[in-house]
Amino acid sequence: IVGAPDDDPGGVVNAGSAQVFLRVFGMPAMPNTWNPEPTGTLVAPDAAAGDAFGRSVAFGGARAFVGAPRDGATGSVRVFLLASMVWAQQAALVVAGASFLGQAVSASSAGDRVAAYSSLGVIVFLRSGVTWPQEATLAVGAPFALTTDGAFVLGSATGGMRAVNRTGTTWTAESGLLV
């Protein structure tokens, strides 16, 4: 998936988009190629000028996560689900009191957890059926990464990087900084 936050879908200036590519394995004498999926252009259904949809992107399971840090007053992360070879928006994640949510995103490989950077820190959402309640707000910044199993976040902190560990649904910062 490749984000294009300055794209103008439907003539909406800088609303942004994201393109999903499918890897096609060639014959032994032919190189592998990446082709755009026929239904793989993702846009926000309520796109507005300047949303910057596609500023950040991540994959997990059959889901694509697309950050739109200038969407409304808070920013958002859009969750798209691939079903029957069609991408459809499943959720729009927002957090009251945040700004620039979706400036960076990272997802677990199963697609059941997504972490997004905002003005409040890194916010973790946990899928519950078709809803995405907020699980935690972590005091780390961008750049950051959520591990593939969704058990750790490594994010920037003053003077180095901080590791935050999840046990169940409780997140605990490791003591000390990684330098």
Side-chain angles (χ1 to χ4, degrees), residues 152-178:
F152 288 94
V153 167
L154 182 64
S156 67
T158 304
M161 300 294 283
R162 179 167 312 283
V164 185
N165 165 4
R166 178 183 57 81
T167 303
T169 57
T170 301
W171 290 84
T172 307
E174 299 286 327
S175 61
L177 293 175
L178 306 170

Side-chain angles (χ1 to χ4, degrees), residues 53 56 64-69 71 75-80 89 91-94 101-105 114-117 123 125:
F53 178 91
S56 57
F65 302 91
V66 183
D71 178 14
S76 69
V77 174
R78 303 300 178 108
V79 181
F80 291 84
Q89 182 175 302
L93 310 179
V94 295
L101 179 67
Q103 186 69 26
V105 297
V114 63
Y117 178 71
I123 299 175
F125 299 89

Side-chain angles (χ1 to χ4, degrees), residues 5-77:
D6 297 326
D7 193 17
D8 304 334
V12 182
V13 177
N14 294 335
S17 68
Q19 180 66 53
V20 179
F21 288 83
L22 177 65
R23 187 171 184 184
V24 179
F25 294 93
M27 304 291 277
M30 298 173 61
N32 297 331
T33 59
W34 290 86
N35 295 328
E37 272 193 23
T39 62
T41 299
L42 309 179
V43 295
D46 58 348
D51 280 351
F53 178 91
R55 173 73 60 207
S56 57
V57 294
F59 260 123
R63 289 178 178 80
F65 302 91
V66 183
R70 298 193 191 304
D71 178 14
T74 64
S76 69
V77 174

